[in-house]
Amino acid sequence: MNGFLGEFLGTMILIVLGVGCGAGISLNKAYAKGQGWLFVTLAWGMAVTFGVYVAGQFGAQGHLNPAVTIGFAAFGFFPWSQVMPYLLGQFLGAFVGAALVILHYYPHFKATKADEGNSVGIFATGPAINNPVFNFLSETIATFVFIFTLLNLGNFTQGLKPLIVGFLIMVVGQALGPTTGFALNPARDFSPRLAYAILPVPNKGVANWAYAWVPVLGPIGPIAGGLLASGLQALLK
């Protein structure tokens, strides 16, 4: 299971920090309640940074994202033999990270009804305008830009490169994220959405599975963007 532990722990940290931000800005009586988009994109950028650092320390490449893993493998940038351990680590780590956020904010979930901010939007993405074709295109374009840039950073677990990856996530979120919430990552969307759906979250709303196919069910959305980015990189090299 080469890479499993690093991807599991790194993705767990990613989700604890990113989804934790979502809980902090959404739930009643949390000090961050009502913070805006800059706060969100900066938090998710730093969540990726520290997730990559953790994954690298435990022997993984810090993908934290099936779109990265599958896209890299499809064009020879990553061995197929390691794809399944990486994917398992990513999806399981994301679920555990979401569960930790539920535990941490449990009193705040109890203090917040569904119409007051206790929604799946804390855990997963949704469109600003519900248009499946353009929602799909938005996720594909945003993920393409992210992964194509990532491919040109070399080994992004070393030195200050994870910080650069965090800034990349932040600017992608600011430039391309306002349409769909910039999932960019099937594990980041599916596993926290599942945790919200099946774990005993007080006062919770619906999990909005009708939208989940855009950022999750593949190979579409983020995975398509990852494949396009990796294919272009292979062609240009």
Side-chain angles (χ1 to χ4, degrees):
M1 297 293 281
N2 189 21
F4 169 82
L5 182 61
E7 291 294 312
F8 173 86
L9 293 172
T11 309
M12 181 186 74
I13 293 299
L14 161 66
I15 296 302
V16 167
L17 298 178
V19 171
C21 164
I25 67 173
S26 301
L27 297 176
N28 289 341
K29 301 185 179 180
Y31 287 133
K33 173 83 171 180
Q35 291 295 315
W37 192 242
L38 179 62
F39 182 91
V40 171
T41 58
L42 178 59
W44 275 104
M46 293 301 95
V48 170
T49 290
F50 295 113
V52 170
Y53 272 123
V54 169
Q57 286 298 306
F58 286 90
Q61 293 188 18
H63 294 177
L64 315 182
N65 183 343
V68 175
T69 301
I70 293 172
F72 280 23
F75 291 93
F77 300 112
F78 185 72
W80 279 106
S81 62
Q82 294 187 42
V83 167
M84 190 53 66
Y86 268 56
L87 297 187
L88 287 173
Q90 291 155 9
F91 280 103
L92 291 174
F95 186 91
V96 172
L100 290 173
V101 171
I102 293 169
L103 180 63
H104 183 84
Y105 278 97
Y106 194 83
H108 296 270
F109 282 107
K110 290 185 70 173
T112 312
K113 294 182 170 57
D115 60 356
E116 297 174 325
N118 187 347
S119 75
V120 73
I122 295 170
F123 294 85
T125 60
I129 296 175
N130 189 16
N131 185 314
V133 173
F134 280 93
N135 300 154
F136 164 76
L137 288 173
S138 290
E139 282 294 331
T140 302
I141 292 167
T143 310
F144 168 80
V145 170
F146 167 55
I147 294 181
F148 184 70
T149 306
L150 202 62
L151 280 162
N152 288 283
L153 290 177
N155 185 342
F156 51 82
T157 65
Q158 300 298 311
L160 292 177
K161 285 186 179 179
L163 182 61
I164 302 303
V165 175
F167 285 134
L168 172 60
I169 287 287
M170 184 174 72
V171 73
V172 168
Q174 290 170 354
L176 303 173
T179 55
T180 60
F182 74 118
L184 308 180
N185 183 339
R188 169 262 178 276
D189 195 281
F190 175 80
S191 293
R193 193 186 299 270
L194 180 64
Y196 186 71
I198 68 174
L199 294 180
V201 180
N203 300 318
K204 65 183 174 183
V206 298
N208 193 18
W209 287 108
Y211 177 74
W213 70 270
V214 173
V216 176
L217 299 180
I220 52 179
I223 291 177
L227 290 170
L228 288 171
S230 298
L232 179 60
Q233 182 76 4
L235 180 65
L236 295 176
K237 289 291 186 178

